[in-house]
Amino acid sequence: MPHNVMQTYGRLPVRFANGSGAWLRDESGAAYLDALSGIAVCGLGHAHPRVTAALQKQAETLLHTSNLYGVPLQDQLAEGLCARTAMDSVFFCNSGAEANEAAIKLARLHGANQGVAEPKILVMEHAFHGRTLAALAATGNARAQEGFGPLPAGFIRVPYNDLTAIDAAAAAHDGIVAILAEPIQGEGGVRVPDAGYLQGLRERCDTHGWLLMLDEVQTGIGRTGAWLASQHENVTPDVLTLAKGLGNGVPIGACLARGAAAEVLGPGSHGSTFGGNPLAASAALAVLEALDADQLMARAEALGERLQRRFREGLADEPAVVDIRGRGLMLAIELDHPCGDLVKRALDDHLLINVTAQSVIRLLPPLIISDDEADRIGDQVIALVRGFVNDAR
Ligand SMILES: *Cc1c(COP(=O)(O)O)cnc(C)c1O
């Protein structure tokens, strides 16, 4: 193995050469069923014809010009995103962390415009917002932060899914300008908050004049069975971040804003060389079109229910399984003990899954999977969990 790549990842012993739909092939030609989608990125699966065609056409036409000039495909994508999310304006960047950096800068500038000297943002325990410094400061994971101090100040951490903690923070601190939260925590363990929690955040933001900023980098773009996970709860944020599934593998992120928040970042206040360039915008436009044309959000919702039902039946008598949860095709099985080794066992079985928060098996299959593929994922995961739990006894 060459070692010129910095060793920042614990990589599994496989290298993929090509893919199609929900399947990947390694360098020897062996096939693997993908129940992770590159961590919620390839929602349309691999080599989706619409995305491939859009990229081919755009590669022959124009890759990049700079945001010094008008970019028609970026305008078109912004319009498509705003129509689907009830937002008014979009800043394009290249990743989830960058989208959150834009949101954090927007919140701070919004505070500064109102004369708040040291604007503060409420963030959640177990949150994940990315690896750049401000996004890392907002992230609720001490291990990810370790050694990278001093981190930017101005974040107040509260427990997730706890509205009384928001009220306590409001009473205890001056200068709060925003709440930043995931509508379902992804890396933190696919934590689905109680019904009414997001609505409660919305109400508190309205009461105090704060911005509600939702990080839908993982939950957005149809993953949970709606364009946005927050739409299930009929909650509209003031600021919204997207990335992962937006380009189906082409790097693109977006920070969207609504109402007064949509006007905060003006000329010269923020920027990105690559953000929303013609190539990335063409891929994202193809993603939006495919999700609509193939009604993939309805599929995600139905398949998610089908898989949860299968897990509940297949694992009903397994006491080590403490919870089965999720929404659409963002699914989790939580065990009562750490199960990171399951990822390697699944790989040996030619199935790609993930374990997060040590004991939570996370599944993020492509939204294009067939019923048979979904059942196959379900049966394989059930067998893997049973085998793993038995061996641990
Ligand atoms: C993955 C993720 C990010 C970070 O995205 P990058 O593209 O890796 O920077 C931010 N927020 C959430 C909720 C994520 O799942």
Side-chain angles (χ1 to χ4, degrees), residues 76-91:
Q76 214 180 312
L77 177 59
E79 191 185 343
L81 285 172
C82 286
R84 288 165 175 81
T85 59
M87 295 289 122
D88 293 324
S89 68
V90 190
F91 173 82

Side-chain angles (χ1 to χ4, degrees), residues 92-269:
F92 287 105
C93 51
N94 315 287
S95 68
E98 280 177 73
N100 287 325
E101 292 283 332
I104 292 162
K105 285 180 72 176
L106 191 160
R108 287 186 169 193
L109 188 55
H110 170 70
N113 290 344
Q114 294 177 334
V116 180
E118 287 185 31
K120 299 184 184 73
I121 300 173
L122 293 184
V123 293
M124 305 298 156
E125 289 175 6
H126 307 292
F128 185 80
H129 297 297
R131 302 283 195 159
T132 54
L133 282 172
L136 186 62
T139 288
N141 178 338
R143 253 187 66 205
Q145 294 177 342
E146 204 175 288
F148 295 114
L151 293 173
F155 296 97
I156 299 166
R157 195 165 308 284
V158 295
Y160 188 62
N161 195 26
D162 182 348
L163 292 171
T164 60
I166 305 286
D167 294 334
H173 299 276
D174 286 329
I176 296 171
V177 293
I179 296 177
L180 173 62
E182 297 152 88
I184 297 173
Q185 290 190 329
E187 305 305 303
V190 191
R191 291 166 193 258
V192 184
D194 297 337
Y197 175 66
L198 292 182
Q199 201 79 57
L201 294 183
R202 178 71 270 175
E203 284 162 17
R204 280 150 183 86
C205 285
D206 291 341
T207 301
H208 298 289
W210 306 337
L211 299 176
L212 177 60
M213 310 205 294
L214 293 181
D215 177 348
E216 296 232 26
V217 167
Q218 188 162 152
T219 51
I221 318 293
R223 172 56 50 191
T224 69
W227 275 106
L228 305 173
S230 50
Q231 288 173 345
H232 292 298
E233 305 287 322
N234 294 314
V235 168
T236 308
D238 303 295
V239 177
L240 166 73
T241 55
L242 298 172
K244 293 198 164 93
L246 182 53
N248 209 55
V250 175
I252 180 166
C255 174
L256 297 83
R258 182 172 66 100
E263 314 291 330
V264 172
L265 293 172
S269 60

Side-chain angles (χ1 to χ4, degrees), residues 284-350:
L285 276 165
V287 169
L288 298 194
E289 283 161 17
L291 283 169
D292 284 339
D294 301 335
Q295 299 187 320
L296 290 177
M297 277 165 308
R299 282 286 295 162
E301 177 117 63
L303 287 167
E305 282 164 15
R306 184 186 180 103
L307 270 166
Q308 284 206 42
R309 211 162 38 237
R310 211 171 182 91
F311 290 143
R312 282 183 214 290
E313 284 163 15
L315 296 168
D317 58 346
E318 186 47 78
V321 173
V322 295
D323 196 19
I324 292 162
R325 60 176 177 262
R327 186 110 211 206
L329 287 175
M330 181 174 189
L331 296 163
I333 300 170
E334 181 168 0
L335 303 189
D336 64 0
H337 58 277
C339 59
D341 291 347
L342 260 174
V343 174
K344 178 63 173 38
R345 287 193 185 207
L347 184 69
D348 293 341
D349 257 10
H350 288 209

